[in-house]
Amino acid sequence: MKITRVEAIALQVKLPRDFRGSIYSVPQKNAIVTRIHTDEGLVGECVNGEGEAALQKPQVEIIERELTPLLVGQDPTRIEALWAAMWKTATWRGGRDIRAGVRAVACVDSALWDVLGKAAKLPLYRLWGGARERLPIVAIGGQYHDDYQVADYGREMEEFRELGLAGCKFKIG
């Protein structure tokens, strides 16, 4: 199996309100969809969330201009070797924000793992050892709302409990 094409698509979705904490603001969600296409028809996909919209353009450029030429024609199941080559290519460039290079590698790495899972017909948790079939998840709640009252935060926590979440990281400060 060989990699034939790599796609990187930056998305920005405006949220219905600004989710704020004591030192941050999240008026929109940003993500990069990465797809690794293979000559056998398998397509590895991932969505990597990114809080900083300013880093999206350089991440996509790194994937398209630097990582794609490195990957096309390679065996996508050689993930560790490809990761090492991508890391060296994307993170050791002087003069640019290293976060863009690190996150570009993460986008491609995640899609490569998806290719491997699809090729093996196994979910990734099984490929990685299968120690657990379920993981507890938590939410982040309590972001600042100009119009929230104390009871509104209580209702938010009740919604999280109804969803079966294991807990909540509650914003304070």
Side-chain angles (χ1 to χ4, degrees):
M1 178 168 33
K2 301 289 182 206
I3 297 170
T4 58
R5 186 164 59 104
V6 180
E7 288 181 89
I9 304 160
L11 301 173
Q12 296 179 342
V13 178
K14 184 168 176 35
L15 296 173
R17 66 175 174 78
D18 186 3
F19 289 82
R20 295 180 290 139
S22 57
I23 59 169
Y24 67 87
S25 172
V26 184
Q28 69 184 25
K29 290 302 285 181
N30 306 304
I32 295 180
V33 177
T34 308
R35 294 186 181 110
I36 305 287
H37 296 263
T38 70
D39 62 352
E40 293 185 10
L42 292 177
V43 179
E45 301 176 289
C46 75
V47 177
N48 293 75
E50 172 51 57
E52 298 175 67
L55 287 178
Q56 281 188 305
K57 185 178 180 196
Q59 282 177 244
V60 169
E61 288 174 356
I62 291 166
I63 292 168
E64 291 176 344
R65 295 180 186 167
E66 298 174 33
L67 301 183
T68 295
L70 183 74
L71 295 167
V72 170
Q74 298 295 317
D75 177 347
T77 66
R78 297 187 64 238
I79 296 172
E80 288 187 42
L82 294 175
W83 184 92
M86 289 189 298
W87 186 261
K88 184 176 181 183
T89 298
T91 62
W92 297 103
R93 304 277 179 170
R96 79 167 166 220
D97 189 332
I98 193 169
R99 296 175 302 167
V102 169
R103 292 171 182 170
V105 171
C107 289
V108 175
D109 182 62
S110 298
L112 288 169
W113 279 105
D114 191 48
V115 169
L116 184 62
K118 288 175 177 175
K121 295 185 169 86
L122 289 171
L124 292 178
Y125 82 92
R126 293 280 308 278
L127 283 175
W128 295 331
R132 296 183 182 157
E133 293 202 16
R134 296 183 64 182
L135 289 174
I137 61 170
V138 299
I140 297 176
Q143 280 88 4
Y144 297 117
H145 302 268
D146 294 332
D147 58 345
Y148 252 36
Q149 303 298 317
V150 172
D152 294 316
Y153 291 109
R155 280 190 287 282
E156 182 180 23
M157 296 305 110
E158 289 171 2
E159 288 175 18
F160 291 159
R161 289 185 71 184
E162 287 173 15
L163 289 170
L165 300 179
C168 175
K169 177 180 176 183
F170 195 83
K171 306 308 279 180
I172 61 169

